[in-house]
Every structure is written in structure tokens, then in C-alpha cells.
Amino acid sequence: MPNFLIKNATIFNEGQSFVADVWVENNQILAVQENIVPAANTQVIDATGLWLLPGIIDDQVHFREPGLTHKGNIASESRAAVAGGITSYMEQPNTFPNAVTQDLLEDKYQIAATQSYANFSFLMGGTNDNLEELLKTNPKNVAGIKLFLGSSTGNMLVDNPEVLEQIFSSTPLIIDVHCEDETTIKTNLAQYKEQYGDAIPVTAHHLIRSTEACYLSSSKAVALAQKTGARLHVFHLSTAKEMSLFRNDIPLQEKKITAEVCVHHLWFTNDDYAAKGNFIKWNPAVKTAADREALWEALNDDRIDVIATDHAPHTLEEKSKPYTEAPSGGPLVQHALVAMLEAHFQGKITVEKLVQKMAHNPAILFQIEKRGFIKPGYFADLVLVHPNDPWTVSKDNILYHCGWSPFEGTTFKAKITHTFVNGHLAYANGQVSEIKAGKRLLFDRK
């Protein structure tokens, strides 16, 4: 593996920005300082005018392997991820078969060991009857446990209150939850079916999967975590009302209850359903402009700790079906970072805060070993960005297996020029290296 010297980059790290060089040898960062003289056999990258960020850590993706590989697979989606500056990801258990036993979970790790372009972890899935398997999960090499408290792709709804309390009371691992109240959703859906039959418009999606459905479920999860002392992380928040459940008066390292928001809930609103249709149909639903504003406010004041993607590809054919038949979810890993940088240019977030929420905080929250920061001794997971090289998302430059993006036609000002994964130059100037350099994430836990 060649060594690299990244010269004269504007580095964003730990709340600061400064110009310096970064020396990468083998898979690690050796030095971050000014005027490093290149050693022999070192490839020099002139990063004058470019921004250098820690590699993005995405704590929620669905890469669809095994069992749903017509939508995407570990190789195709991790390839798109490194092109988007995402160097590590945590994949969800609702593949087929569901990753709800240790053997099935390990099968996914074995696939990724040879197929992943980015670093990886796979969450163990909870069900109404697999507590014994959950408790076998190794906290040193598995990111956490995923519970679906609202149904989504797959059949992993955990809706038995006694089982939930048992899980919350029994595991020291982070419990990651999808919160939507199924009874509320079914009641709302029945009302719209009575009015529209099978021709329900997609513009009703945020009313069917409503604010109340989200708040009822997330507030119960938070209350249960407070009762049991569980370590809870609430995925993809989407409503203003839920923001009252989360705190910003203690450091992240001391929080027992943490929160995530996804790119699509920060970018789109229900006003976009008319133009985008099922291509922005997600669970939880994209909601109102007021909800989006509240999410941005909570993100910036640290009630929300992490930005993620919930990358969940479906085929164009599947998404082109009528609303009641089209699945929820969409591909985002290739465009998440540039979309959030676009939000920076719009004045919604600083680059320092963006790096905190997309790199530092996921590493702190999940206790990931030696990733998420630009520091000597850390793995060389790095992203170089040109801050002013506009480009437009089109079919020609989309790398997702599904071949489409909700951002098609959008012009972004920033462009990712280089991505390093474990010191390997995984992406450079529009080309993904075919060397799959991703490694299993490890966690600094007892």
C-alpha cells in the first residue's frame, strides 16, 4: 500500500478549521502538522483550496444483502458510499433471512469481509421471541441491537410490551429503535382507504404515518429507557413534537438516550410529494416545513446527536407502483455529505457542526475504536472535498444498484474528490478503486 502526504488542506476537526498536512502510512494517520517533508515512496496530493474531513460514519443503512439483492448489495452500495465520502456504515438486520440469530448475523459479516469498499458493522435484530440470541451479542465487534417498534421492510415488528421491557432491562448494548405506533398508522390508513380506496395519493403519507404515530412510539421508548436504564438511540426522528424528548444539557458521552436525524427529513417536506411522489416515500414520513425547521434547530443545539441516511434502495419498478403498493425507502449514501454541505452553503449548519454530527458523534456514541477523527494513531478514513466545483446528479453519475436518486436534477456546489478507507485511496476524481479495503468496526467497550 503506498503512503500518502496530503498537503495544504483546510482541515475540519474537533470544532476547528486550520491549514496543515496529513501524513498517511499503511492504514493510519501518522502526523497532522504544517510543512511535512515527503518521505521516499510517498504519493503527494496537493490539497490547496480543498477541505479535509474525517470519513463520514453512517449509523443506519440497508444494503439489502442477503435476500434482497435485486435492490442493492454490500458491494454496490458500499461502493456508492465511498464515492459519497462515507467510510464506515452500520447495516440493519431486516434482510432475508432477518439477522436475528448469531449465525445469521455472522453470515453478513463474512459477506462484507470480501465485498465491502467501506468499513462495516451489522446490527443484531430483535424480535418478540429471540432474547436469548440477543444476549449473546458481542459488544466488542457488533454496533448494537435494532428494534422495529413500527413495521417497515421485513417482518421484525416488536410489539409485545413485556418482551420490550425484558430487552431494555437485559442488555448493556445500544438499543437502536425505529419508532412509529402501528395501531395509529393502521387506523389512519383505514380512514384514507375508506375515502380513496386503492387510489390514496402519496401526499397523504405524512398524515397516515403521522406525527402522533411517531410521538406515541418514541415517547414510550424514551420512558422505558428511563425506567430501565437502557442505552437507547432513536433513529430517524421526523417531527417537531418529538424534540421535547431529548436533552442538550449534558455531554454526549454521558447521555443514556440519544437521537438521530436523516438527510431526507432535513432536506424534503410534504410539499415535495407532489413532484417527487413515491421517490421520497420513507418511513417515518417526510413531514412539514415546520417539522423540518424544528429538526434543524434541535440538530444545531445538540438535542439531536447524529446525521445519518437510512439508505434503503428499491428498484425503479417498485417505486413506480401506486402509493399503496410502493415500498418506503430510498438511496442516499452517495449524496448525503454533499447535500449537507449544500445546507451549509444555505446557512443552516457550519462545517464544524456537520463534521461533529456525521463523523465525531457516531464514533463517540457507538464507542468506535480509532475512527471519526483526524488524529495521529487513528485509522486513515478521510474525505477531501472541493468546496466550489458544481455538478448535477444524473443517471450517468449515480452508482446505486437501483440506478435512481431522489436528488436527480439537483446541482450541488461541493464535490468529493478523494476518499481514503484505512489508508487506501478508495475514490479519486470520479473513479472508485476496485480494491475492497473495508474492515469490520471494533468498539471500545468492556
Side-chain angles (χ1 to χ4, degrees):
M1 180 185 294
N3 301 327
F4 291 92
L5 181 59
I6 303 169
K7 294 285 291 180
N8 302 315
T10 300
I11 298 170
F12 290 87
N13 190 57
E14 297 188 277
Q16 296 181 314
S17 63
F18 54 96
V19 176
D21 304 342
V22 176
W23 179 14
V24 173
E25 186 170 306
N26 296 323
N27 62 359
Q28 289 192 336
I29 298 168
L30 282 196
V32 182
Q33 62 190 61
E34 294 181 7
N35 302 317
I36 298 175
V37 177
N41 303 315
T42 298
Q43 183 174 331
V44 177
I45 297 175
D46 181 5
T48 303
L50 303 184
W51 294 352
L52 184 66
L53 318 180
I56 303 306
I57 301 171
D58 191 345
D59 77 356
Q60 188 189 182
V61 304
H62 302 262
F63 282 179
R64 304 305 195 195
E65 189 171 5
L68 297 166
T69 52
H70 65 289
K71 302 173 188 282
N73 57 62
I74 288 169
S76 66
E77 307 314 285
S78 66
R79 189 170 181 269
V82 299
I86 291 171
T87 56
S88 298
Y89 62 86
M90 300 175 197
E91 210 264 357
Q92 305 304 299
N94 57 332
T95 41
F96 290 104
N98 300 152
V100 295
T101 70
Q102 295 299 321
D103 287 344
L104 291 170
L105 180 64
E106 191 58 32
D107 286 346
K108 295 176 72 169
Y109 280 105
Q110 293 305 313
I111 296 168
T114 62
Q115 295 301 311
S116 187
Y117 291 84
N119 305 309
F120 52 88
S121 191
F122 295 89
L123 272 66
M124 176 67 177
T127 70
N128 281 325
D129 55 9
N130 79 331
L131 179 60
E132 186 176 341
E133 284 290 313
L134 285 180
L135 296 181
K136 296 176 185 176
T137 306
N138 184 346
K140 297 288 288 183
N141 63 10
V142 177
I145 290 168
K146 174 66 176 288
L147 302 180
F148 288 90
L149 308 187
S151 63
S152 194
T153 300
N155 186 27
M156 293 183 62
L157 179 65
V158 183
D159 57 0
N160 184 321
E162 293 179 2
V163 169
L164 276 174
E165 185 155 349
Q166 277 188 306
I167 294 172
F168 273 59
S169 301
S170 302
T171 179
L173 280 161
I174 295 176
I175 300 170
D176 303 282
V177 289
H178 173 141
C179 290
E180 290 183 284
D181 182 69
E182 202 65 18
T183 300
T184 301
I185 292 167
K186 287 179 177 177
T187 299
N188 292 340
L189 181 60
Q191 292 173 350
Y192 276 87
K193 278 196 170 182
E194 186 175 345
Q195 182 177 358
Y196 291 100
D198 289 332
I200 298 173
V202 69
T203 51
H205 187 56
H206 72 294
L207 303 174
I208 294 169
R209 304 189 81 96
S210 63
T211 292
E212 287 305 318
C214 293
Y215 181 80
L216 185 58
S217 181
S218 56
S219 60
K220 284 181 179 178
V222 168
L224 186 56
Q226 291 169 335
K227 175 183 177 181
T228 59
R231 176 64 185 88
L232 178 70
H233 185 49
V234 184
F235 275 161
H236 45 42
L237 291 159
S238 62
T239 74
K241 189 172 184 179
E242 290 170 291
M243 297 305 98
S244 64
L245 300 171
F246 302 98
R247 298 175 60 178
N248 62 358
D249 59 339
I250 54 175
L252 176 60
Q253 293 91 329
E254 298 176 19
K255 287 187 180 184
K256 295 282 282 185
I257 298 167
T258 51
E260 174 212 272
V261 68
C262 288
V263 170
H264 45 284
H265 293 120
L266 293 170
W267 188 276
F268 299 104
T269 74
N270 64 299
D271 292 334
D272 296 308
Y273 285 123
K276 296 284 186 179
N278 293 330
F279 297 103
I280 61 164
K281 182 187 179 188
W282 278 280
N283 299 340
V286 167
K287 295 186 173 68
T288 68
D291 288 305
R292 181 177 63 180
E293 183 178 348
L295 294 173
W296 274 112
E297 182 180 343
L299 181 68
N300 277 301
D301 73 17
D302 296 334
R303 282 173 289 164
I304 293 178
D305 305 291
V306 170
I307 301 171
T309 67
D310 194 16
H311 173 91
H314 298 283
T315 67
L316 194 60
E317 180 183 6
E318 289 167 330
K319 288 298 254 183
S320 299
K321 291 180 178 180
Y323 165 74
T324 52
E325 300 175 40
S328 292
L332 279 169
V333 288
Q334 188 182 346
H335 304 108
L337 176 55
V338 290
M340 291 300 93
L341 287 168
E342 197 69 24
H344 160 68
F345 297 129
Q346 295 167 2
K348 294 178 180 177
I349 190 170
T350 66
V351 179
E352 291 85 352
K353 181 71 77 171
L354 183 156
V355 167
Q356 178 192 12
K357 303 296 183 174
M358 299 185 82
H360 300 340
N361 281 6
I364 294 168
L365 193 156
F366 286 92
Q367 299 170 284
I368 304 171
E369 287 188 357
K370 295 184 178 179
R371 300 190 192 275
F373 294 84
I374 302 177
K375 290 182 178 181
Y378 273 57
F379 291 104
D381 297 338
L382 301 164
V383 186
L384 272 171
V385 176
H386 193 307
N388 189 17
D389 187 7
W391 63 287
T392 301
V393 180
S394 69
K395 296 285 188 192
D396 294 338
N397 54 38
I398 290 170
L399 297 184
Y400 310 126
H401 182 71
C402 66
W404 64 273
S405 166
F407 287 116
E408 280 177 61
T410 302
T411 297
F412 292 118
K413 183 178 179 182
K415 179 183 284 185
I416 292 155
T417 64
H418 301 75
T419 303
F420 290 85
V421 177
N422 298 309
H424 168 65
L425 187 54
Y427 175 81
N429 299 314
Q431 297 297 316
V432 180
S433 164
E434 289 310 312
I435 296 173
K436 300 178 177 74
K439 302 295 183 186
R440 184 170 184 162
L441 295 175
L442 299 177
F443 304 90
D444 187 16
R445 301 167 179 161
K446 295 179 182 178

PDB file of all heavy atoms in Angstrom, residues 88 264 286:
ATOM      1  N   SER A  88     -17.495   4.437   6.785  1.00  0.00           N
ATOM      2  CA  SER A  88     -17.958   3.384   7.696  1.00  0.00           C
ATOM      3  C   SER A  88     -19.479   3.427   7.764  1.00  0.00           C
ATOM      4  O   SER A  88     -20.081   4.509   7.713  1.00  0.00           O
ATOM      5  CB  SER A  88     -17.400   3.577   9.106  1.00  0.00           C
ATOM      6  OG  SER A  88     -15.984   3.515   9.131  1.00  0.00           O
ATOM      7  N   HIS A 264     -32.898  13.045   4.510  1.00  0.00           N
ATOM      8  CA  HIS A 264     -34.141  13.351   3.792  1.00  0.00           C
ATOM      9  C   HIS A 264     -35.119  14.156   4.641  1.00  0.00           C
ATOM     10  O   HIS A 264     -35.870  14.970   4.108  1.00  0.00           O
ATOM     11  CB  HIS A 264     -34.808  12.078   3.259  1.00  0.00           C
ATOM     12  CG  HIS A 264     -34.879  10.953   4.220  1.00  0.00           C
ATOM     13  ND1 HIS A 264     -33.789  10.182   4.526  1.00  0.00           N
ATOM     14  CD2 HIS A 264     -35.917  10.427   4.923  1.00  0.00           C
ATOM     15  CE1 HIS A 264     -34.147   9.229   5.375  1.00  0.00           C
ATOM     16  NE2 HIS A 264     -35.422   9.373   5.643  1.00  0.00           N
ATOM     17  N   VAL A 286     -41.507  11.915   5.508  1.00  0.00           N
ATOM     18  CA  VAL A 286     -41.131  13.325   5.414  1.00  0.00           C
ATOM     19  C   VAL A 286     -42.362  14.143   5.783  1.00  0.00           C
ATOM     20  O   VAL A 286     -43.459  13.895   5.286  1.00  0.00           O
ATOM     21  CB  VAL A 286     -40.673  13.656   3.982  1.00  0.00           C
ATOM     22  CG1 VAL A 286     -40.574  15.159   3.775  1.00  0.00           C
ATOM     23  CG2 VAL A 286     -39.342  12.969   3.684  1.00  0.00           C
TER      24      VAL A 286
END
